[in-house]
Amino acid sequence: KQEVTQIPAALSVPEGENLVLNCSFTDSAIYNLQWFRQDPGKGLTSLLLIQSSQREQTSGRLNASLDKSSGRSTLYIAASQPGDSATYLCAVWGISYQAGTALIFGKGTTLSVSS
Amino acid sequence: EADIYQTPRYLVIGTGKKITLECSQTMGHDKMYWYQQDPGMELHLIHYSYGVNSTEKGDLSSESTVSRIRTEHFPLTLESARPSHTSQYLCASSEFRGTEAFFGQGTRLTVV
C-alpha cells in the first residue's frame, strides 16, 4: 500500500531564506502529486498539482518537482516570509485501488519563518 | 478559491448525542471525500462517494455514516458521539478520480 513520507517534520528558518521540503512515496504508479498548505486549525489550501507526466510546476515563489521513477518530490520556497509559516502537506493519488482509493497524505512539514 | 463549505466549523457536544457534519460544494464535482485528522497526524480517508447514491467506506475504519442524495451535498453523521470521535473532519471534492482535490475549512469536533 502507498506510503508517503515527508522530511523534515519541522523546519525553522529566518526570513529571506530559500528552502526545500521533501516528499517521498513508495508506489510510483500515480496519477498526480499535490502539495497543500494547512494553517493551524484550518482546512487545506491547494498550492500546486503535478501530473504524473510533468517534471515540475511553478506558482509565484513556489516550485514543485516530481521524479516519479524514484518516488520523490520537492517543494522549493524562495525568499521565505513569516506569512509562509504553516504545515505543508504532500499527497499522491495512486492509479491502483490497492494503493488507496483517494489522496494518500504524508504527515507534513511544519515550517516556521521568523522575522 | 475553492467553493466547498463545511458547517459547523467548531462543535462541542456531549457523549451519546447524534450529530451531522455538513459539506457542500458548488463546483459540480461527482467525487467527494471525508478525511479525519488527529493533531500532528496525517489525514486518513474515512468515506468517499463517486456520485449520487454512491458511498463507500475509506481506508480508515469509522463509526460514522454518509449519504449522497444530491451531487452538491455530502453530510457525515455520527449516531452516538463518543470522546474517541474527537478529531478534525475534512471534506474534499474532485472532478474525477486523480484530478485536483479541493478541501473545505474543516469541522473540529470535541465530544465531552
Side-chain angles (χ1 to χ4, degrees):
Chain A
K1 186 171 178 174
Q2 181 76 269
E3 292 183 4
V4 179
T5 303
Q6 292 189 246
I7 295 173
L11 183 62
S12 293
V13 300
E15 182 176 7
E17 272 205 9
N18 303 324
L19 56 101
V20 175
L21 308 182
N22 297 291
C23 172
S24 62
F25 47 95
T26 54
D27 187 342
S28 62
I30 61 170
Y31 281 121
N32 62 45
L33 183 144
Q34 198 167 351
W35 282 93
F36 294 89
R37 168 185 173 140
Q38 185 175 32
D39 292 291
K42 300 290 182 63
L44 276 62
T45 300
S46 179
L47 297 174
L48 289 164
L49 172 74
I50 309 178
Q51 302 285 359
S52 62
S53 58
Q54 297 176 313
R55 299 284 294 185
E56 66 178 64
Q57 277 281 5
T58 298
S59 176
R61 293 182 294 110
L62 305 179
N63 176 275
S65 68
L66 174 64
D67 184 344
K68 202 173 67 165
S69 61
S70 67
R72 294 182 181 180
S73 176
T74 61
L75 179 66
Y76 175 83
I77 302 177
S80 59
Q81 303 170 357
D84 294 331
S85 299
T87 296
Y88 291 81
L89 298 168
C90 168
V92 298
W93 211 315
I95 292 174
S96 165
Y97 279 89
Q98 290 176 332
T101 46
L103 279 170
I104 304 294
F105 283 84
K107 291 185 178 181
T109 294
T110 298
L111 173 65
S112 176
V113 182
S114 57
S115 56
Chain B
E1 191 166 321
D3 296 319
I4 181 164
Y5 309 99
Q6 292 186 242
T7 57
R9 289 290 316 281
Y10 305 93
L11 180 62
V12 180
I13 200 163
T15 298
K17 299 291 186 182
K18 177 180 179 178
I19 59 170
T20 296
L21 308 185
E22 302 287 349
C23 176
S24 295
Q25 50 95 6
T26 58
M27 296 173 281
H29 288 168
D30 282 332
K31 314 296 186 282
M32 295 190 74
Y33 317 89
W34 277 102
Y35 284 85
Q36 184 174 343
Q37 184 185 31
D38 292 325
M41 301 298 290
E42 62 265 53
L43 280 75
H44 289 287
L45 181 71
I46 51 175
H47 296 283
Y48 64 97
S49 168
Y50 283 171
V52 172
N53 295 325
S54 158
T55 62
E56 299 287 344
K57 288 188 178 295
D59 306 320
L60 180 69
S61 175
S62 173
E63 295 171 342
S64 58
T65 59
V66 292
S67 62
R68 190 87 182 277
I69 299 173
R70 302 196 314 268
T71 297
E72 63 271 23
H73 193 213
F74 191 38
L76 180 145
T77 299
L78 279 165
E79 290 292 335
S80 179
R82 294 209 298 264
S84 61
H85 296 140
T86 295
S87 189
Q88 174 153 256
Y89 294 85
L90 292 153
C91 180
S93 74
S94 66
E95 185 175 9
F96 302 111
R97 185 174 182 277
T99 58
E100 186 173 13
F102 299 94
F103 279 77
Q105 285 297 301
T107 294
R108 183 166 296 278
L109 172 66
T110 302
V111 184
V112 298

